[in-house]
Amino acid sequence: MIFKLVGDGRPYPEHGLTNREWAQIPPRQVRLDSLITTKAMLDLHSLLAADSTFYGDLFPHVVQWQGELYLEDGLHRALRAALHQRSILHARVLELPN
């Protein structure tokens, strides 16, 4: 099992963070098997592209809400980590109040 659950959508309230605000959150280690995805589908071109981690934030974005960790952005990075036999990912984690 790679992820805790494959979700489809964001069950948590809108946070409204910009990319600049996400960049202010220091990355921390997160176990892949503790993440719930917010996307059920992934474009293989994004996953397999040589420069797939070149654009955007280097770290995936995770939202912690009601005791769960939701992978909001960076699904292709998380899958690449899993394909390389890694169980831990460095991600920016936004903690939302319950």
Side-chain angles (χ1 to χ4, degrees):
M1 175 170 75
I2 297 173
F3 300 112
K4 181 177 183 177
L5 184 67
V6 175
D8 192 16
R10 300 173 182 175
Y12 48 86
E14 179 61 40
H15 52 72
L17 255 62
T18 65
N19 285 336
R20 183 176 295 249
E21 292 167 326
W22 272 107
Q24 301 304 312
I25 299 172
R28 69 179 204 207
Q29 290 185 345
V30 177
R31 290 187 51 84
L32 289 174
D33 62 4
S34 69
L35 294 172
I36 300 172
T37 69
T38 59
K39 297 176 186 171
M41 308 252 318
L42 174 71
D43 178 16
L44 280 177
H45 292 290
S46 296
L47 176 65
L48 301 174
D51 64 351
S52 70
T53 58
F54 182 77
Y55 301 101
D57 195 346
L58 179 63
F59 301 102
H61 297 170
V62 173
V63 175
Q64 184 174 351
W65 184 62
Q66 295 186 341
E68 300 290 359
L69 295 172
Y70 296 93
L71 180 61
E72 180 175 288
D73 184 51
L75 179 57
H76 62 291
R77 287 179 173 86
L79 284 173
R80 280 186 136 188
L83 289 171
H84 285 89
Q85 307 298 313
R86 294 192 299 260
S87 60
I88 294 188
L89 179 72
H90 284 84
R92 300 184 192 280
V93 180
L94 171 66
E95 297 179 19
L96 291 181
N98 292 332

